[in-house]
Amino acid sequence: MATDVERALRGMVRTGTVSAVYPKTDTVRVVFDDKDNTTSPELHVLHRFSGKNKDYWMPDLGDQVLCIFNNNDKNFSTGWVLGSYFTEKQPPQVASADIMRIDFADGSYIEVNRAAGSLQVNFTGPVTINGSTIHLN
Protein backbone atom coordinates (compact mmCIF):
# COMPACT_ATOMS: atom_id res chain seq x y z
CA MET A 1 0.00 0.00 0.00
CA ALA A 2 1.38 3.40 -1.02
CA THR A 3 2.13 5.99 1.62
CA ASP A 4 0.97 9.61 1.38
CA VAL A 5 4.52 10.61 0.41
CA GLU A 6 4.64 8.03 -2.39
CA ARG A 7 1.26 9.17 -3.73
CA ALA A 8 2.38 12.81 -3.65
CA LEU A 9 5.62 12.01 -5.48
CA ARG A 10 3.77 9.98 -8.13
CA GLY A 11 1.80 13.09 -8.99
CA MET A 12 4.79 15.43 -8.88
CA VAL A 13 7.32 13.43 -10.95
CA ARG A 14 6.33 12.19 -14.42
CA THR A 15 7.97 11.03 -17.62
CA GLY A 16 6.74 11.82 -21.10
CA THR A 17 7.58 12.65 -24.70
CA VAL A 18 8.25 16.17 -25.99
CA SER A 19 5.48 17.10 -28.43
CA ALA A 20 6.22 20.81 -29.03
CA VAL A 21 9.24 23.08 -28.54
CA TYR A 22 9.10 26.86 -27.99
CA PRO A 23 12.67 28.25 -27.90
CA LYS A 24 11.59 31.91 -27.55
CA THR A 25 9.80 31.18 -24.26
CA ASP A 26 12.22 28.42 -23.17
CA THR A 27 9.30 25.99 -22.86
CA VAL A 28 8.05 22.68 -24.24
CA ARG A 29 4.85 20.64 -24.16
CA VAL A 30 5.01 17.01 -23.08
CA VAL A 31 2.64 14.09 -23.76
CA PHE A 32 2.19 11.64 -20.88
CA ASP A 33 1.47 8.12 -22.15
CA ASP A 34 0.55 6.90 -18.67
CA LYS A 35 -2.23 9.50 -18.45
CA ASP A 36 -4.16 8.68 -21.66
CA ASN A 37 -1.81 10.82 -23.79
CA THR A 38 -2.58 13.96 -21.80
CA THR A 39 -0.56 16.95 -23.04
CA SER A 40 1.02 19.30 -20.53
CA PRO A 41 0.79 23.07 -20.63
CA GLU A 42 4.04 24.80 -21.62
CA LEU A 43 6.72 23.67 -19.16
CA HIS A 44 9.97 25.56 -18.56
CA VAL A 45 13.19 23.70 -19.32
CA LEU A 46 15.64 23.56 -16.41
CA HIS A 47 19.20 24.75 -17.12
CA ARG A 48 22.41 24.38 -15.12
CA PHE A 49 23.08 28.13 -15.12
CA SER A 50 20.97 31.19 -15.90
CA GLY A 51 22.71 34.09 -14.14
CA LYS A 52 26.21 35.44 -14.84
CA ASN A 53 27.10 32.07 -16.39
CA LYS A 54 24.57 30.64 -18.80
CA ASP A 55 23.93 27.16 -20.15
CA TYR A 56 21.28 26.62 -22.82
CA TRP A 57 19.65 23.56 -24.31
CA MET A 58 16.24 22.60 -25.63
CA PRO A 59 15.05 19.01 -25.95
CA ASP A 60 14.08 17.79 -29.41
CA LEU A 61 10.64 16.67 -30.50
CA GLY A 62 10.27 13.02 -29.48
CA ASP A 63 12.80 13.18 -26.61
CA GLN A 64 11.83 11.31 -23.47
CA VAL A 65 11.96 13.75 -20.54
CA LEU A 66 11.57 13.75 -16.78
CA CYS A 67 9.21 16.43 -15.47
CA ILE A 68 8.42 17.74 -12.01
CA PHE A 69 5.26 19.59 -11.03
CA ASN A 70 4.34 21.88 -8.16
CA ASN A 71 2.51 19.62 -5.70
CA ASN A 72 0.23 22.47 -4.62
CA ASP A 73 -1.03 22.91 -8.20
CA LYS A 74 -3.77 20.30 -8.67
CA ASN A 75 -4.18 21.30 -12.36
CA PHE A 76 -0.51 20.52 -13.14
CA SER A 77 -0.12 23.93 -14.79
CA THR A 78 3.20 24.71 -13.07
CA GLY A 79 6.04 22.38 -13.94
CA TRP A 80 9.56 22.04 -15.28
CA VAL A 81 11.47 19.66 -17.55
CA LEU A 82 14.45 18.41 -15.53
CA GLY A 83 16.18 16.67 -18.44
CA SER A 84 16.05 13.83 -20.90
CA TYR A 85 17.26 10.27 -20.55
CA PHE A 86 18.44 7.42 -22.73
CA THR A 87 16.22 4.47 -23.65
CA GLU A 88 16.62 1.25 -25.64
CA LYS A 89 15.30 3.12 -28.69
CA GLN A 90 17.67 6.04 -28.06
CA PRO A 91 20.82 4.58 -26.45
CA PRO A 92 23.83 6.68 -25.40
CA GLN A 93 26.48 7.31 -28.05
CA VAL A 94 29.28 6.14 -25.67
CA ALA A 95 29.38 4.10 -22.47
CA SER A 96 32.21 5.25 -20.22
CA ALA A 97 32.40 7.00 -16.87
CA ASP A 98 35.47 8.88 -18.19
CA ILE A 99 33.89 10.40 -21.30
CA MET A 100 31.76 13.52 -21.63
CA ARG A 101 30.40 13.90 -25.15
CA ILE A 102 27.96 16.17 -26.94
CA ASP A 103 26.67 14.99 -30.31
CA PHE A 104 24.75 17.17 -32.75
CA ALA A 105 22.19 16.15 -35.36
CA ASP A 106 24.52 17.09 -38.26
CA GLY A 107 27.19 14.58 -37.14
CA SER A 108 29.37 17.11 -35.29
CA TYR A 109 30.56 16.24 -31.79
CA ILE A 110 32.84 17.28 -28.93
CA GLU A 111 34.32 14.60 -26.70
CA VAL A 112 36.48 14.88 -23.57
CA ASN A 113 38.14 11.69 -22.32
CA ARG A 114 39.55 12.38 -18.87
CA ALA A 115 41.21 8.94 -18.60
CA ALA A 116 43.17 9.58 -21.80
CA GLY A 117 43.52 13.32 -21.13
CA SER A 118 42.20 14.02 -24.61
CA LEU A 119 39.78 16.33 -26.38
CA GLN A 120 38.30 15.38 -29.74
CA VAL A 121 36.37 17.91 -31.81
CA ASN A 122 34.67 16.93 -35.06
CA PHE A 123 32.60 19.52 -36.93
CA THR A 124 30.93 19.11 -40.31
CA GLY A 125 31.14 22.83 -41.10
CA PRO A 126 33.55 25.73 -40.57
CA VAL A 127 35.07 26.33 -37.11
CA THR A 128 35.72 29.84 -35.81
CA ILE A 129 37.87 30.48 -32.73
CA ASN A 130 38.01 34.02 -31.35
CA GLY A 131 40.29 35.28 -28.61
CA SER A 132 42.71 38.05 -27.78
CA THR A 133 45.52 35.49 -27.80
CA ILE A 134 45.36 31.88 -28.97
CA HIS A 135 48.08 29.39 -27.98
CA LEU A 136 48.50 26.05 -29.70
CA ASN A 137 51.09 23.64 -28.29
Side-chain angles (χ1 to χ4, degrees):
M1 182 159 216
T3 66
D4 289 341
V5 171
E6 290 170 330
R7 279 191 290 278
L9 285 175
R10 246 187 254 131
M12 289 175 57
V13 180
R14 301 176 71 192
T15 59
T17 305
V18 174
S19 61
V21 178
Y22 306 101
K24 288 185 179 181
T25 57
D26 192 38
T27 58
V28 299
R29 288 189 189 270
V30 178
V31 174
F32 301 106
D33 299 336
D34 65 336
K35 298 291 183 185
D36 297 325
N37 291 324
T38 301
T39 301
S40 74
E42 289 185 34
L43 304 175
H44 282 279
V45 177
L46 210 61
H47 302 280
R48 293 182 296 178
F49 314 106
S50 63
K52 291 181 181 178
N53 297 307
K54 297 185 187 298
D55 175 44
Y56 177 81
W57 77 286
M58 291 298 291
D60 288 321
L61 290 174
D63 277 357
Q64 297 294 306
V65 291
L66 179 67
C67 305
I68 190 166
F69 291 88
N70 183 340
N71 193 35
N72 297 326
D73 181 358
K74 300 304 179 197
N75 296 322
F76 295 103
S77 60
T78 306
W80 301 265
V81 172
L82 299 178
S84 60
Y85 55 93
F86 293 111
T87 64
E88 284 185 22
K89 291 181 181 178
Q90 294 178 319
Q93 68 278 43
V94 294
S96 170
D98 288 316
I99 293 176
M100 178 181 278
R101 182 168 164 149
I102 302 172
D103 284 51
F104 301 92
D106 69 351
S108 299
Y109 65 87
I110 301 169
E111 179 179 293
V112 174
N113 184 325
R114 65 182 178 190
S118 64
L119 167 68
Q120 185 173 358
V121 179
N122 179 55
F123 275 82
T124 59
V127 176
T128 302
I129 300 174
N130 294 313
S132 60
T133 305
I134 297 173
H135 299 276
L136 299 173
N137 295 328

